PDB file of all heavy atoms in Angstrom:
ATOM      1  N   PRO A  67      86.106  78.960  79.719  1.00 92.00           N
ATOM      2  CA  PRO A  67      86.905  77.747  79.964  1.00 92.00           C
ATOM      3  C   PRO A  67      88.414  77.976  79.950  1.00 92.00           C
ATOM      4  O   PRO A  67      89.135  77.395  80.769  1.00 92.00           O
ATOM      5  CB  PRO A  67      86.475  76.800  78.837  1.00 92.00           C
ATOM      6  CG  PRO A  67      85.093  77.239  78.483  1.00 92.00           C
ATOM      7  CD  PRO A  67      85.088  78.738  78.675  1.00 92.00           C
ATOM      8  N   LYS A  68      88.916  78.806  79.040  1.00 94.00           N
ATOM      9  CA  LYS A  68      90.360  79.069  78.994  1.00 94.00           C
ATOM     10  C   LYS A  68      90.819  79.777  80.268  1.00 94.00           C
ATOM     11  O   LYS A  68      91.887  79.472  80.799  1.00 94.00           O
ATOM     12  CB  LYS A  68      90.722  79.902  77.767  1.00 94.00           C
ATOM     13  CG  LYS A  68      90.530  79.164  76.441  1.00 94.00           C
ATOM     14  CD  LYS A  68      90.922  80.034  75.274  1.00 94.00           C
ATOM     15  CE  LYS A  68      90.047  81.185  75.147  1.00 94.00           C
ATOM     16  NZ  LYS A  68      89.055  81.533  74.314  1.00 94.00           N
ATOM     17  N   ASP A  69      90.022  80.724  80.745  1.00 96.00           N
ATOM     18  CA  ASP A  69      90.373  81.438  81.974  1.00 96.00           C
ATOM     19  C   ASP A  69      90.296  80.501  83.179  1.00 96.00           C
ATOM     20  O   ASP A  69      91.135  80.569  84.085  1.00 96.00           O
ATOM     21  CB  ASP A  69      89.463  82.646  82.181  1.00 96.00           C
ATOM     22  CG  ASP A  69      89.657  83.709  81.104  1.00 96.00           C
ATOM     23  OD1 ASP A  69      90.773  83.821  80.567  1.00 96.00           O
ATOM     24  OD2 ASP A  69      88.678  84.413  80.795  1.00 96.00           O
ATOM     25  N   LEU A  70      89.291  79.628  83.176  1.00 96.00           N
ATOM     26  CA  LEU A  70      89.152  78.675  84.277  1.00 96.00           C
ATOM     27  C   LEU A  70      90.364  77.751  84.351  1.00 96.00           C
ATOM     28  O   LEU A  70      90.872  77.483  85.447  1.00 96.00           O
ATOM     29  CB  LEU A  70      87.869  77.850  84.122  1.00 96.00           C
ATOM     30  CG  LEU A  70      87.652  76.783  85.194  1.00 96.00           C
ATOM     31  CD1 LEU A  70      87.512  77.419  86.581  1.00 96.00           C
ATOM     32  CD2 LEU A  70      86.443  75.926  84.862  1.00 96.00           C
ATOM     33  N   VAL A  71      90.833  77.290  83.208  1.00 95.00           N
ATOM     34  CA  VAL A  71      92.008  76.415  83.195  1.00 95.00           C
ATOM     35  C   VAL A  71      93.201  77.120  83.832  1.00 95.00           C
ATOM     36  O   VAL A  71      93.918  76.535  84.650  1.00 95.00           O
ATOM     37  CB  VAL A  71      92.338  75.943  81.758  1.00 95.00           C
ATOM     38  CG1 VAL A  71      93.723  75.301  81.687  1.00 95.00           C
ATOM     39  CG2 VAL A  71      91.281  74.962  81.270  1.00 95.00           C
ATOM     40  N   GLY A  72      93.395  78.390  83.520  1.00 97.00           N
ATOM     41  CA  GLY A  72      94.501  79.142  84.118  1.00 97.00           C
ATOM     42  C   GLY A  72      94.359  79.261  85.626  1.00 97.00           C
ATOM     43  O   GLY A  72      95.330  79.066  86.369  1.00 97.00           O
ATOM     44  N   VAL A  73      93.144  79.569  86.086  1.00 97.00           N
ATOM     45  CA  VAL A  73      92.904  79.675  87.528  1.00 97.00           C
ATOM     46  C   VAL A  73      93.141  78.322  88.195  1.00 97.00           C
ATOM     47  O   VAL A  73      93.810  78.232  89.233  1.00 97.00           O
ATOM     48  CB  VAL A  73      91.476  80.203  87.808  1.00 97.00           C
ATOM     49  CG1 VAL A  73      91.126  80.089  89.292  1.00 97.00           C
ATOM     50  CG2 VAL A  73      91.345  81.654  87.350  1.00 97.00           C
ATOM     51  N   LEU A  74      92.591  77.255  87.605  1.00 97.00           N
ATOM     52  CA  LEU A  74      92.781  75.921  88.199  1.00 97.00           C
ATOM     53  C   LEU A  74      94.239  75.503  88.191  1.00 97.00           C
ATOM     54  O   LEU A  74      94.714  74.874  89.151  1.00 97.00           O
ATOM     55  CB  LEU A  74      91.917  74.889  87.473  1.00 97.00           C
ATOM     56  CG  LEU A  74      90.432  74.971  87.770  1.00 97.00           C
ATOM     57  CD1 LEU A  74      89.655  74.021  86.867  1.00 97.00           C
ATOM     58  CD2 LEU A  74      90.137  74.687  89.242  1.00 97.00           C
ATOM     59  N   ASN A  75      94.974  75.852  87.132  1.00 97.00           N
ATOM     60  CA  ASN A  75      96.415  75.549  87.112  1.00 97.00           C
ATOM     61  C   ASN A  75      97.115  76.229  88.279  1.00 97.00           C
ATOM     62  O   ASN A  75      97.929  75.611  88.970  1.00 97.00           O
ATOM     63  CB  ASN A  75      97.047  75.992  85.786  1.00 97.00           C
ATOM     64  CG  ASN A  75      96.670  75.092  84.635  1.00 97.00           C
ATOM     65  OD1 ASN A  75      96.171  73.977  84.810  1.00 97.00           O
ATOM     66  ND2 ASN A  75      96.902  75.571  83.420  1.00 97.00           N
ATOM     67  N   ASP A  76      96.790  77.509  88.506  1.00 97.00           N
ATOM     68  CA  ASP A  76      97.387  78.236  89.627  1.00 97.00           C
ATOM     69  C   ASP A  76      97.032  77.577  90.961  1.00 97.00           C
ATOM     70  O   ASP A  76      97.896  77.404  91.829  1.00 97.00           O
ATOM     71  CB  ASP A  76      96.898  79.686  89.658  1.00 97.00           C
ATOM     72  CG  ASP A  76      97.399  80.525  88.491  1.00 97.00           C
ATOM     73  OD1 ASP A  76      98.340  80.092  87.786  1.00 97.00           O
ATOM     74  OD2 ASP A  76      96.819  81.617  88.283  1.00 97.00           O
TER      75      ASP A  76
END
Side-chain angles (χ1 to χ4, degrees):
K68 292 181 295 254
D69 294 330
L70 178 63
V71 167
V73 170
L74 287 173
N75 287 345
D76 292 346

